Amino acid sequence: MDMEPGLQNSTDFILLGLITHLKFPGFIFAVVFAIFVVAVTANVVMILLIHVDSHLHTPMYFLLSQLSIMDTVYICITVPKMLQDLLSKEKTISFLGCSLQIFLYLTLIGAEFFLLGLMAYDRYVAVCKPLRYPLLMNHRICLFMVAGSWVGGSLDGFMLTPITMSFPYCGSREINHFFCEIPAVLKLSCTDTSLYETLMYTCCILMLLIPVSIISVSYTLILITVHRMSSPEGRHKAFATCSSHIMVVSIFYGAAFYTNVLPHSYHTPEKDKIVSAFYTILTPMINPLIYSLRNKEVATALRKVLGRCASSQRIRAGEMSRK
């Protein structure tokens, strides 16, 4: 793509998109828009179900509602701009808009890292210390966990965003990505950023170690406890209560491992965009579907709400026919 006249001296950037030379933008738009609608709807429904149904007023579902809030905000950071660019000839994003996107992206992904780790601790307490669960996972502690996740994520955003955007970008303004991800933005800098990139990746790995350690220790203790259980029903219940979380963790941390841990030699712009699309577009849709399809309590709550809606519509229809 050639640089548009006037952008050479502009502070705006150009997002080249998920696919650089797109032949069927309408088809990609329809697919991404459908995923976006399903993701937002599924997460909002999950949040409402947990709020409305008293059977879901437990620490596990409170943390799950926070995960849904994060996923909703997370997908809204990148996808609306991506959809706009698919329909527009001008794919520009302002310097401030790019900075805000980086900050929110780092905050949300960091907060989700920490929250998933703390959700593993919640499962450890539920399986290994069920009698002390109400005490160890009371509402105050849950609020502290959620606040800590948000603060931990925002520290990453506050630390890396100003440094990234302080580099001089005096060459091309074309970001080979569909949103302002730091590695793609740094490629436009006209100064050497190798030291900063090394420090950034080191910081990301250290930040990953905290939740990964919590998850590893929690599930190791859970496996030991389950192995000691004599009841097959108890084992099945323990595995059922942890399986959804394990699936979500595997998907989310798998993509994070590729992005933050694998050496540069394994990275290409095309691979990076595909992996980014996976955890910024698909993961927010997959998470609520995993928890709803594999969780009997959520499925039961959903059937109750749908049943109430259907009965209220029948009552209204009956009243209308009488009139």
Side-chain angles (χ1 to χ4, degrees), residues 169-184:
Y169 297 99
C170 49
S172 171
R173 312 294 292 186
E174 297 178 348
I175 300 174
N176 190 11
H177 217 298
F178 61 92
F179 75 101
C180 289
E181 193 171 38
I182 289 180

Side-chain angles (χ1 to χ4, degrees), residues 236-286:
H236 176 74
K237 187 177 180 181
F239 279 122
T241 194
C242 298
S243 58
S244 297
H245 182 256
I246 291 171
M247 288 180 68
V248 170
V249 165
S250 300
I251 292 168
F252 196 75
Y253 279 84
F257 180 85
Y258 169 86
T259 304
N260 299 305
V261 178
L262 287 184
H264 286 286
S265 57
Y266 287 87
H267 290 256
T268 65
E270 289 71 27
K271 285 182 183 177
D272 289 350
K273 286 192 283 187
I274 290 170
V275 173
S276 295
F278 180 78
Y279 67 76
T280 58
I281 301 173
L282 288 176
T283 302
M285 179 188 74
I286 294 170

Side-chain angles (χ1 to χ4, degrees), residues 278-299:
F278 180 78
Y279 67 76
T280 58
I281 301 173
L282 288 176
T283 302
M285 179 188 74
I286 294 170
N287 286 354
L289 295 180
I290 288 173
Y291 276 104
S292 60
L293 294 175
R294 296 180 58 84
N295 192 298
K296 290 181 180 179
E297 291 177 322
V298 173

